[in-house]
Amino acid sequence: MPLHVPPAPAPALRSVLAALGSPTAVREARTPALRSVQGPLSPEFPLPLHVLDQVAPKGRAVPPAGRAPRTRLVGWRFLIRSGDRAVAAADTMLTADGWAFSRFFEGPYLASTERALRQAETLGTSYQPRLLSVPELYMITLWLHSDTEADASEGSPLPADILVPLAPAPPGIAAHRPHGVAELLPMIGLRLAPAPLLRTPA
């Protein structure tokens, strides 16, 4: 089924186009592939980047039944294509003056994102693709949101959503394996929960 890619804010797209048109920004980027490309570059496939702020209330490893985890939008990520391949990605961030270019990058998450998107297109359901980051675990998932008409800047994972961990994934979590929200979030919650205090021997 086709993915319903949400439109990025126009200022975010303009900031990436301006950075691509700046020899200084491209030259200073730590992306050898981006610097070495001959020919036009285009930002495509915008993905809203959300951060998982809280899986469960303090003192709990998993959210109570019916309670959605808290997320917030922190940026938009664009795949930078040269011809039919992605050579880098560009992040934008929200500032006091609006959306602004943040950085170019490449690395394992770039190829992993493309692979996860191809996987998602073979599923039998339409989704709105997003990215969900768990900074404490150095983990990013492709978040397939089941409400394809939703505002991409808002919302939390729904029971019908799918989360696909990107590689490299934390130990014990399989990269590129689609997980239901009810399966993966408790695993994340247990990893983020503080370790229990050891009793002092009497």
Side-chain angles (χ1 to χ4, degrees), residues 9 26 30 41 83 86 105 129 159 189:
V26 173
R30 296 181 180 179
L41 296 165
F105 70 96

Side-chain angles (χ1 to χ4, degrees), residues 156-173:
S156 296
L158 301 174
D161 292 0
I162 299 294
L163 300 174
V164 184
L166 302 184
I173 295 178

Side-chain angles (χ1 to χ4, degrees), residues 94-157:
L94 190 58
T95 69
D97 297 321
W99 289 101
F101 170 75
S102 175
R103 60 169 185 150
F104 291 119
F105 70 96
E106 56 184 280
Y109 281 133
L110 178 62
S112 186
T113 300
E114 283 203 295
R115 176 180 169 184
L117 288 170
R118 288 195 299 269
Q119 277 183 277
E121 289 173 342
T122 68
L123 300 177
T125 305
S126 294
Y127 293 100
Q128 182 192 85
R130 306 175 174 195
L131 294 172
L132 184 62
S133 172
V134 187
E136 296 90 341
L137 298 180
Y138 299 98
M139 176 182 181
I140 297 181
T141 72
L142 178 65
W143 171 11
L144 300 174
H145 196 45
S146 52
D147 184 354
T148 59
E149 303 302 319
D151 182 343
S153 66
E154 299 176 350
S156 296

Side-chain angles (χ1 to χ4, degrees), residues 8-200:
L13 176 58
R14 285 197 299 268
S15 73
V16 174
L17 289 170
L20 284 173
S22 165
T24 301
V26 173
R27 186 171 60 249
E28 292 180 353
R30 296 181 180 179
T31 52
L34 186 64
R35 294 197 302 267
S36 64
V37 164
Q38 301 295 320
L41 296 165
S42 60
E44 299 178 9
F45 227 107
L47 295 168
L49 176 60
H50 293 253
V51 165
L52 188 62
D53 267 345
Q54 188 174 325
V55 180
K58 286 188 176 181
R60 297 184 61 127
V62 298
R67 174 123 176 216
R70 283 176 22 197
T71 64
R72 60 188 168 88
L73 179 73
V74 295
W76 282 81
R77 178 167 295 176
F78 297 79
L79 300 184
I80 306 301
R81 291 194 175 276
S82 172
D84 60 353
R85 67 188 183 103
V87 296
D91 276 352
T92 62
M93 61 182 179
L94 190 58
T95 69
D97 297 321
W99 289 101
F101 170 75
S102 175
R103 60 169 185 150
F104 291 119
F105 70 96
E106 56 184 280
Y109 281 133
L110 178 62
S112 186
T113 300
E114 283 203 295
R115 176 180 169 184
L117 288 170
R118 288 195 299 269
Q119 277 183 277
E121 289 173 342
T122 68
L123 300 177
T125 305
S126 294
Y127 293 100
Q128 182 192 85
R130 306 175 174 195
L131 294 172
L132 184 62
S133 172
V134 187
E136 296 90 341
L137 298 180
Y138 299 98
M139 176 182 181
I140 297 181
T141 72
L142 178 65
W143 171 11
L144 300 174
H145 196 45
S146 52
D147 184 354
T148 59
E149 303 302 319
D151 182 343
S153 66
E154 299 176 350
S156 296
L158 301 174
D161 292 0
I162 299 294
L163 300 174
V164 184
L166 302 184
I173 295 178
H176 293 289
R177 182 189 157 208
H179 295 264
V181 167
E183 176 189 8
L184 187 60
L185 287 187
M187 294 169 62
I188 294 173
L190 288 170
R191 288 168 180 263
L192 295 178
L197 295 174
L198 296 177
R199 277 189 184 175
T200 303

